[in-house]
Amino acid sequence: MIPAQRPAGGGEEPKATAVLDYLVKTGKLKPGDREKAQMAYVTSGVVPENWAMEQGLVKDVDVAEARAKVWGIPFVTLTDKAMSPIAMGYIDRTLADRLLVIPFDYKPATGELYLAMANPVDLAAIEFLSKKTGVKVKAFAAVASEVKTAIENNYQQSLSTEVTAALKEAGGTGPGEVRTVNIRKVNEIIKEAPIAKIVTTVLEFAIKSRASDVHIEPLQERTRVRYRIDGILHEKLVLPKKIHDALVSRVKILSGMKIDEKRVPQDGRFNFETDQEEVDLRVSSMPTVFGEKIVMRLLKKTGAVPTLPELGLRGRALKNFEEAVLKPHGIILVTGPTGSGKTTTLYSVLSRINTVKVNVITLEDPVEYQIPGVNQVQINPQAGLTFASGMRSLLRQDPNIMMVGEVRDVETTELAIQAALTGHLVFSTLHTNNASGALPRLLDMQAESYLLASTITAIVGQRVTRRICLACKKDYQPNQAILDDIRIVLGKLWANDPQTSGHTDFKLYKGEGCEQCGNTGYRGRIGMFEVLPVSEKIGRLILEHSSATEIEKVAVEEGMITMKQDGYLKAVEGITSIDEVLRVAQE
């Protein structure tokens, strides 16, 4: 909370009144509450908007924005804001705590240090910081609670502090300083401790924060580092542009790429080990307008493959899927867009059915996880090993169960059908929006309808949604529009569900954001599924070349729970939020 006394240089009565007027004008404060706040100012001298905040009459973010508008100061929100290590190097933790400020950016061209301040009109503090740092200071208004959280997170976590220390060690971090690099000495610079330390710190943070990917992206004036955590990209670090080439070259050396080739994309890989775990990194470089972009995919070597119930399959969907998996032959397809967890589902199934009595062979691009006892093959188009050519070879390897990474063309589709007809169990993936859409797509790939009807056993449609963080999970009363939407989507399930049947005090859940979840309100992920078993009725619809809508309608009549319904049920139970379900499953 911002201190209750009047801010230095800007707490005069006209300004205080103007902030209240702005809050009333924008509908953030009721006129009656404005009069109460004004009376508190007159009787006790308390800053009126602070009094209104303390009484819960107005939100702190609305007050901060109103002050910024009235005082003519830019406003910045610090939620998920990446802090520049160079900027943070100008002000230490003690001073940041005392003045409730945090430096978030530094502009070398103008020599300006950008500060987020809870009290941006404290002229004495601004003048003091300008003299202490030796640079021009530009104040930004920010919410006091956000400033406190940003100080706590960024000064404590190793990502900012260690990178700041490494940059200082590398030299050339002051305003106007330029480092000249001799091209013949570039290898020496890449191996320097500071650059190596920055790469190590970035990767350690990725493992600690459960990131699946790390993006190192060159922009016009800076380099940013983003982490994909639970499927969403978060900007966590901003680096000076001048170290970008050395940083990229260090990663390229580690992953076995050519550092002198910057005009074409490259791929590589390397292992990274910490005290806790070991990860395999798949590295990809891509030339962009402002330099090479690096994306690193993290694949954990430790930890078991999750079971189907752990992934989120349950009830009738799980039963139908397990029955299909236990059949000795046929095709089982898992559908969904890129990043929806299809491969993880297939690995989970293969881990379950893999025994010494069966020969399991996979054809993948790439092999993401290694499953003990399974013969996994990496496709290599340059060497002539494609999905189609690989499948022909697989059939000569006496397999019982085959997993083909993706059905992507006519030839692969035909080979998968032939394998199923000759008594093999075939698993594969397909990029369609839902389970019912897979059948018309295969027909478009010139597959014969009578063969599809007899070989396809089940189709799984899936998405992944973020779990609500258990540490900051709170319930709330949804509005009538959301209630009506849930009732329409769930249909009969609404009346049959014990949690919704009474629904007089029906509640939903969300995460408020805490340290454990990085203030996102979410931690971990769970799948949303629909399992479509190919019954006799569905088989007839395939023969008639029916549309995806007709197939889904019959499947629902036969008891299939759709993906959106599964998501809504998980939201009702408090596993995920309605917002998350709509984000990933809205058609």
Side-chain angles (χ1 to χ4, degrees), residues 557-568:
E557 285 171 2
E558 291 184 342
M560 182 183 85
I561 294 175
T562 66
M563 211 170 345
K564 196 170 182 182
Q565 286 177 330
D566 185 40
Y568 271 36

Side-chain angles (χ1 to χ4, degrees), residues 27-40:
K28 309 295 185 186
L29 184 69
K30 294 175 183 175
D33 292 335
R34 180 207 180 284
E35 299 308 318
K36 292 176 188 174
Q38 186 64 30
M39 185 58 67

Side-chain angles (χ1 to χ4, degrees), residues 130-285:
S130 184
K131 284 180 181 177
K132 183 168 178 63
T133 57
V135 294
K136 287 186 283 184
V137 168
K138 184 171 182 179
F140 284 71
V143 181
S145 58
E146 288 186 10
V147 175
K148 284 180 183 175
T149 303
I151 291 171
E152 191 70 27
N153 290 345
N154 290 282
Y155 278 102
Q156 276 195 356
Q157 70 185 20
S158 60
L159 186 64
S160 293
T161 51
E162 287 192 19
V163 171
T164 302
L167 286 169
K168 282 183 178 176
E169 196 180 328
T173 61
E177 290 185 30
V178 178
R179 184 176 185 183
T180 303
V181 176
N182 187 321
I183 193 68
R184 294 182 185 85
K185 295 181 181 177
V186 71
N187 281 331
E188 295 171 27
I189 294 164
I190 293 159
K191 292 172 188 172
E192 279 180 6
I195 297 298
K197 190 174 182 181
I198 289 170
V199 173
T200 302
T201 305
V202 164
L203 292 177
E204 282 176 346
F205 185 82
I207 293 170
K208 193 164 63 177
S209 60
R210 304 171 296 103
S212 61
D213 301 83
V214 181
H215 295 235
I216 301 173
E217 301 171 302
L219 304 179
Q220 190 164 3
E221 295 178 345
R222 61 198 174 97
T223 291
R224 72 176 176 187
V225 180
R226 293 196 291 172
Y227 294 85
R228 191 175 291 282
I229 303 168
D230 293 334
I232 306 292
L233 279 171
H234 300 271
E235 188 178 339
K236 293 287 185 183
L237 189 63
V238 175
L239 296 169
K241 186 67 182 285
K242 60 191 168 190
I243 70 160
H244 180 80
D245 289 344
L247 199 65
V248 167
S249 297
R250 172 69 182 167
V251 174
K252 287 170 83 173
I253 283 174
L254 289 170
S255 49
M257 299 184 200
K258 297 176 183 176
I259 63 167
D260 56 341
E261 181 56 84
K262 300 182 179 183
R263 298 166 299 169
V264 295
Q266 294 186 67
D267 293 304
R269 61 185 292 180
F270 67 96
N271 287 348
F272 183 77
E273 195 173 348
T274 65
D275 295 337
Q276 288 78 31
E277 54 190 316
E278 186 181 358
V279 293
D280 182 20
L281 287 109
R282 304 291 167 89
V283 186
S284 168
S285 74

Side-chain angles (χ1 to χ4, degrees), residues 472-490:
C472 59
K473 180 177 172 180
K474 292 283 184 293
D475 58 34
Y476 69 96
Q477 199 84 34
N479 61 39
Q480 193 58 44
I482 292 173
L483 273 173
D484 292 341
D485 184 44
I486 293 172
R487 192 180 289 112
I488 291 165
V489 170
L490 292 182

